[in-house]
Amino acid sequence: MSRKTAAITAVGAYVPDFVLSNQLLETMVETNDEWITTRTGIKERRILKDKGKGTSYLAIQAAKDLIQKANINPEEIDLLIMATATPDLLVASTGAYVATEIGAVNAFSYDLQAACSSFLYGMSTAASYIESGRYKKVLLIGADKMSSIIDYTDRTTCIIFGDGGGAVLFEPNEEGLGLQDEYLRSDGNGRAFLNMEAGGSLFPATEETVKNKQHFVHQDGRTVFKFAVSNMADVAEKIMERNSLSREDVSWLVPHQANKRIIDATAGRVGLEEDKVMINIEKYGNTTSATLPLLLNDYETKLKKGDNLIFAAFGGGFTWGSIYLKWAYDTK
């Protein structure tokens, strides 16, 4: 009997309508289109402006898109994993709410938080549930409303992030397709360089934390860039080496969309030309947990059954890793 693997069988996505372009940012902070494009590769990002709508809204829309495209009954979903760094509320699970709202009434659900690596870690988790044989349909959603924790007077962060959501469905596969290998890492020393200082148990909200803007994302850009460049490239190279994959064997690199220079460095390390690298950072910026599923959705029609995909991500904490996955279907 062949080994049961966990394959992605459907994808879905959602981005808000409002476009925050570089030109519009020029009217908000001291920056310009040329500088942003050269340093990051970003031209525009989507922002959820609707009052009273949080990350759950992005997740629900992405899940509904997947359900409609794949024509599946949400009641058949066994588990929903919500990968996010911006949950609607602390304590109350965003994933549980999303599952109820999409009609996944038979699924249990929870949130998974590993900053920009959340979706990558979620892939590992979803695959493990499938491989155990206990569950047959696991919906993994990556969504973040980053605009809710960004200071739009801070030009070091406001140019980078956007809002969006993406979803994938994992199901059992006996053809040897799906998740093949993973190499996931973390280093707690990194939390000093990229974080949102207040709002958690260490620094609960006070009048002072609000005045000091401690409820916004802050980062040491140079340190984060340096670690991201070396570590994303390292893990992508390592997973290819231990699976005896040459650059000719790899169909696509699926990299976290944080910075075009980081993407280029990762592709360069593993010897992949740009036509084998999924890129949409120019349209969406860094959507944190949503970058990888948004890529899969944008490139779905180009993917072929049996394609070798190398995923790579890096996030705050620090968290990072790479996953090797064989694509399981041709788009109809």
Side-chain angles (χ1 to χ4, degrees), residues 114 212 229 255 314 319:
N212 292 338
V229 166
F314 182 89
T319 59

Side-chain angles (χ1 to χ4, degrees), residues 142-164:
D144 272 303
K145 184 183 176 182
M146 291 303 295
S147 61
S148 66
I149 57 171
I150 296 301
D151 177 4
Y152 283 92
T153 66
D154 176 10
R155 65 176 182 174
T156 65
T157 56
C158 73
I159 65 170
I160 298 169
F161 295 98
D163 303 337

Side-chain angles (χ1 to χ4, degrees), residues 110-143:
Y110 59 85
D111 298 354
L112 189 158
Q113 205 279 76
C116 293
S117 302
S118 296
F119 189 85
L120 189 80
Y121 282 20
M123 290 175 67
S124 169
T125 307
S128 296
Y129 279 111
I130 294 293
E131 290 165 3
S132 75
R134 293 182 181 179
Y135 305 98
K136 294 182 178 178
K137 290 185 187 295
V138 177
L139 183 63
L140 171 62
I141 304 174

Side-chain angles (χ1 to χ4, degrees), residues 4-187:
K4 185 178 295 181
T5 54
I8 292 174
T9 58
V11 301
Y14 174 79
V15 291
D17 293 331
F18 183 83
V19 176
L20 179 57
S21 66
N22 289 349
Q23 286 74 21
L24 189 52
L25 274 174
E26 288 177 3
T27 69
M28 299 165 61
V29 292
E30 188 180 342
T31 190
N32 61 74
D33 174 65
E34 182 183 6
W35 191 91
I36 297 172
T37 304
T38 302
R39 295 298 184 95
T40 69
I42 302 168
K43 283 290 188 181
E44 57 189 39
R45 61 293 288 145
R46 301 298 184 95
I47 305 296
L48 182 59
K49 302 277 281 187
D50 306 49
K51 193 174 182 180
K53 291 180 179 178
T55 294
S56 63
Y57 179 79
L58 302 167
I60 289 165
Q61 300 310 310
K64 285 181 175 179
D65 182 52
L66 181 150
I67 289 166
Q68 185 272 323
K69 283 164 59 180
N71 192 28
I72 67 166
N73 181 353
E75 294 182 5
E76 295 178 357
I77 297 170
D78 301 309
L79 162 63
L80 186 152
I81 301 172
M82 181 74 224
T84 185
T86 55
D88 283 6
L89 306 167
L90 295 178
V91 182
S93 168
T94 300
Y97 176 72
V98 171
T100 298
E101 290 298 299
I102 66 171
V105 295
N106 295 311
F108 75 98
S109 181
Y110 59 85
D111 298 354
L112 189 158
Q113 205 279 76
C116 293
S117 302
S118 296
F119 189 85
L120 189 80
Y121 282 20
M123 290 175 67
S124 169
T125 307
S128 296
Y129 279 111
I130 294 293
E131 290 165 3
S132 75
R134 293 182 181 179
Y135 305 98
K136 294 182 178 178
K137 290 185 187 295
V138 177
L139 183 63
L140 171 62
I141 304 174
D144 272 303
K145 184 183 176 182
M146 291 303 295
S147 61
S148 66
I149 57 171
I150 296 301
D151 177 4
Y152 283 92
T153 66
D154 176 10
R155 65 176 182 174
T156 65
T157 56
C158 73
I159 65 170
I160 298 169
F161 295 98
D163 303 337
V168 302
L169 183 67
F170 275 93
E171 294 186 276
N173 183 278
E174 294 187 354
E175 299 178 87
L177 304 171
L179 198 147
Q180 306 294 308
D181 194 13
E182 62 182 48
Y183 185 62
L184 307 178
R185 310 297 297 160
S186 63
D187 180 355

Side-chain angles (χ1 to χ4, degrees), residues 75-327:
E75 294 182 5
E76 295 178 357
I77 297 170
D78 301 309
L79 162 63
L80 186 152
I81 301 172
M82 181 74 224
T84 185
T86 55
D88 283 6
L89 306 167
L90 295 178
V91 182
S93 168
T94 300
Y97 176 72
V98 171
T100 298
E101 290 298 299
I102 66 171
V105 295
N106 295 311
F108 75 98
S109 181
Y110 59 85
D111 298 354
L112 189 158
Q113 205 279 76
C116 293
S117 302
S118 296
F119 189 85
L120 189 80
Y121 282 20
M123 290 175 67
S124 169
T125 307
S128 296
Y129 279 111
I130 294 293
E131 290 165 3
S132 75
R134 293 182 181 179
Y135 305 98
K136 294 182 178 178
K137 290 185 187 295
V138 177
L139 183 63
L140 171 62
I141 304 174
D144 272 303
K145 184 183 176 182
M146 291 303 295
S147 61
S148 66
I149 57 171
I150 296 301
D151 177 4
Y152 283 92
T153 66
D154 176 10
R155 65 176 182 174
T156 65
T157 56
C158 73
I159 65 170
I160 298 169
F161 295 98
D163 303 337
V168 302
L169 183 67
F170 275 93
E171 294 186 276
N173 183 278
E174 294 187 354
E175 299 178 87
L177 304 171
L179 198 147
Q180 306 294 308
D181 194 13
E182 62 182 48
Y183 185 62
L184 307 178
R185 310 297 297 160
S186 63
D187 180 355
N189 292 316
R191 82 173 185 170
F193 305 108
L194 175 55
N195 61 55
M196 187 178 77
E197 193 172 48
S201 60
L202 190 60
F203 297 107
T206 65
E207 184 178 352
E208 185 179 7
T209 64
V210 173
K211 285 181 178 178
N212 292 338
K213 297 187 174 184
Q214 291 171 272
H215 296 268
F216 293 123
V217 169
H218 295 278
Q219 71 170 355
D220 178 338
R222 286 188 177 181
T223 302
V224 173
F225 180 84
K226 178 182 175 182
F227 272 81
V229 166
S230 61
N231 287 318
M232 265 183 64
D234 285 347
V235 291
E237 184 178 46
K238 185 177 183 68
I239 207 150
M240 285 175 61
E241 285 178 351
R242 76 182 194 185
N243 287 278
S244 301
L245 294 171
S246 68
R247 64 182 184 180
E248 288 77 19
D249 297 322
V250 176
S251 306
W252 294 98
L253 175 66
V254 191
H256 171 54
Q257 306 287 290
N259 184 298
K260 180 63 162 52
R261 291 186 293 165
I262 298 173
I263 296 168
D264 290 344
T266 303
R269 175 77 73 84
V270 296
L272 293 178
E273 301 296 329
E274 192 164 299
D275 62 359
K276 283 190 171 186
V277 182
M278 294 189 185
I279 299 174
N280 60 15
I281 191 172
E282 73 284 354
K283 295 189 297 180
Y284 307 132
N286 181 355
T287 54
T288 305
S289 307
T291 62
L292 299 181
L294 282 175
L295 283 172
L296 293 178
N297 187 75
D298 282 0
Y299 282 80
E300 185 184 16
T301 58
K302 297 183 179 182
L303 294 171
K304 298 179 178 61
K305 185 176 180 179
D307 277 357
N308 290 320
L309 275 57
I310 301 296
F311 292 78
F314 182 89
F318 288 136
T319 59
W320 70 98
S322 184
I323 282 177
Y324 166 34
L325 178 138
K326 280 186 173 289
W327 196 248

